[in-house]
Amino acid sequence: MTGARERGSAGCGRSGRRVMVTGYGAVTPLGHSVGETWTAMLAGRSGIDTVDAIDVTGLGVRIGGQVRDFTPSRYMPTPVSRRADPYAQYALAAALEACEHAGLVVDERLAPRVAVIIGSGYGPVGSIYRAADTLRDKGPRAISPFAQVTTAMDSAACEISMRLGTQGPSRAQSTACASGADAVGAGMRMISHGDADIVLVGGADACVTAVDLAGSGNARALSRRNDDPTAACRPFDVHRDGFVMSEGAAVMVLEAAEVADGRGATALAELAGYGASSDAHHWTAPHPEGRGACLAVEAALRDAGIAGSEVDYVNAHGTGTQLNDATETAVLRKVLGDRVTRIPVSSTKSMTGHMIGAAGAVELVASIQVLRTGDVPPTINCDEPIAPDINFVPHRAQHHERMQIALSNSFGFGGHNAALVVRAV
């Protein structure tokens, strides 16, 4: 590592404006709120089961992490739920929880300085597939006049902006599995550079579909433990055989520190660092030496002004694939040194499955919860760790004192890498 205060190009640099997280919301296979999701994580409960929302007949993979019993009418009027893809519905529900948690009401004074950035790897794919089926089966006159906007990647951000009345920039971020983390990083930059005072950021995806299960299954990226769904996602376990496709969303409220102070908001954590990079190597496989991942993590630490030896917890990308877990372990050893053998490193994907664009946002929420409580969620199904000297928090949650710095990693198909650093307040 170079000097703690140096800034690298991958970290982009900052103007000095501190960025606080003041609220968050989540919809996941473990629950419809941060509270429900966090309680399930600490209990080591799996949200993975046999997929029953779609016809999985003939598919090689028939398991996934579904959002069950979600009632759109709790969060939005019927006209919105009729037009919005589930990924946008989950994002809107999470945004409403985040605003309530932060005590944020977007009034006419705040509106021009409030932005929205929602990351998604797949976007409204269910709506796209249904529109294509309707065109084939019923003809062009049966296509909804909203189809061209509700099947767009920015539809979740637009629904949130229209519902809350934000008038700052609203946009989508798409970098595969790193989308949620990159959206958070983009929001952080927007505040730190003075382009907004408050940004609602996060990620959402609803890609437990026949097409996506078939495609990722044919790429041999998914676990095929169809007969034992809760044991399917096995990050850092010797017997891992792939990730589990899941769905959900998480949204958080980022604020400039002085703005949060001015309205009396409680800071949950400081978003201290962000780094991003590309592998420039392969569509689905990480660089064998983890070069891109190292660049992103090192940049995030430089951006935060800390050394690897100061990290207290890592929420790993930890997908449960052969290549990712081995590469990420090597990256953590390189960047953190022997610190990696003295701190907890866990993968909450072992319980949620891989929520693609939502993953980085949900995992950052979990990282902040670790800093706030000292409780570390486990990596379930880690029966035989690939690195016995690393504490992957197998099976059961652990409590650790003096948790001050957390690192959250997100590495995606296409070679996208993003890392976030949060600091306790």
Side-chain angles (χ1 to χ4, degrees):
M1 293 292 293
T2 56
R5 291 293 172 183
E6 294 179 15
R7 303 294 189 192
S9 59
C12 303
R14 293 173 60 191
S15 66
R17 220 174 174 213
R18 296 178 68 201
V19 179
M20 301 297 174
V21 180
T22 58
Y24 35 56
V27 175
T28 76
L30 298 176
H32 300 164
S33 68
V34 169
E36 290 178 1
T37 298
W38 181 244
T39 297
M41 283 182 177
L42 292 184
R45 191 180 311 144
S46 174
I48 298 165
D49 205 343
T50 300
V51 173
D52 57 13
I54 59 171
D55 184 3
V56 294
T57 303
L59 295 181
V61 174
R62 300 185 297 279
I63 58 175
Q66 298 175 113
V67 173
R68 296 181 180 275
D69 303 319
F70 180 78
T71 306
S73 60
R74 289 184 56 194
Y75 310 97
M76 65 202 76
T78 300
V80 174
S81 62
R82 282 178 177 171
R83 71 177 181 241
D85 184 86
Y87 106 105
Q89 295 179 16
Y90 302 156
L92 179 54
L96 293 175
E97 181 189 358
C99 287
E100 182 178 3
H101 189 200
L104 176 64
V105 177
V106 181
D107 56 22
E108 291 184 359
R109 179 183 61 84
L110 285 177
R113 300 289 295 168
V114 181
V116 181
I117 307 176
I118 301 298
S120 184
Y122 290 73
V125 287
S127 294
I128 294 171
Y129 301 152
R130 285 188 291 273
D133 289 343
T134 298
L135 182 63
R136 179 197 63 212
D137 298 338
K138 299 182 180 180
R141 291 184 63 83
I143 297 294
S144 166
F146 288 108
Q148 72 274 25
V149 291
T150 59
T151 58
M153 184 68 77
D154 65 343
S155 58
C158 291
E159 293 289 4
I160 292 170
S161 178
M162 287 187 286
R163 174 65 178 272
L164 297 177
T166 68
Q167 294 178 327
S170 61
R171 59 188 59 158
Q173 173 82 41
S174 188
T175 48
C177 314
S179 298
D182 275 329
V184 173
M188 176 185 179
R189 293 283 177 252
M190 194 174 284
I191 292 173
S192 64
H193 291 303
D195 297 324
D197 293 331
I198 301 173
V199 189
L200 277 79
V201 298
D205 260 312
C207 46
V208 182
T209 70
V211 170
D212 297 302
L213 287 175
S216 293
N218 290 343
R220 299 184 179 180
L222 300 181
S223 171
R224 292 178 176 265
R225 294 176 185 264
N226 292 311
D227 296 331
D228 195 4
T230 61
C233 193
R234 313 182 66 82
F236 304 111
D237 183 71
V238 168
H239 303 291
R240 65 197 184 279
D241 71 330
F243 75 85
V244 175
M245 189 75 79
S246 296
E247 60 185 3
V251 174
M252 60 197 72
V253 178
L254 305 184
E255 302 190 50
E258 67 275 15
V259 174
D261 287 344
R263 67 180 196 85
T266 299
L268 306 175
E270 179 183 2
L271 184 55
Y274 164 60
S277 69
S278 295
D279 280 357
H281 171 66
H282 190 274
W283 264 110
T284 58
H287 189 281
E289 297 175 9
R291 289 179 184 173
C294 277
L295 286 173
V297 174
E298 289 171 344
L301 294 173
R302 282 197 303 272
D303 196 42
I306 66 169
S309 59
E310 297 176 76
V311 174
D312 298 308
Y313 168 65
V314 178
N315 189 296
H317 186 54
T319 58
T321 63
Q322 285 290 327
L323 294 178
N324 173 86
D325 292 6
T327 301
E328 186 171 14
T329 300
V331 167
L332 292 175
R333 288 191 190 279
K334 179 179 179 181
V335 178
L336 304 186
D338 65 0
R339 180 69 172 174
V340 75
T341 64
R342 295 186 283 118
I343 61 173
V345 177
S346 67
S347 172
T348 47
K349 285 186 182 72
S350 61
M351 295 170 283
T352 64
H354 194 342
M355 292 176 283
I356 313 298
V362 171
E363 289 155 16
L364 185 63
V365 170
S367 298
I368 295 172
Q369 287 289 98
V370 169
L371 297 184
R372 296 182 68 206
T373 66
D375 295 325
V376 179
T379 306
I380 66 171
N381 304 319
C382 190
D383 298 333
E384 191 175 343
I386 60 174
D389 61 330
I390 295 178
N391 176 13
F392 290 119
V393 196
H395 309 307
R396 294 178 181 82
Q398 300 173 359
H399 184 78
H400 291 257
E401 299 293 341
R402 295 181 295 279
M403 304 293 274
Q404 295 297 309
I405 301 289
L407 167 69
S408 182
N409 293 333
S410 297
F411 310 136
F413 281 176
H416 302 291
N417 304 294
L420 296 164
V421 174
V422 283
R423 179 183 286 115
V425 294

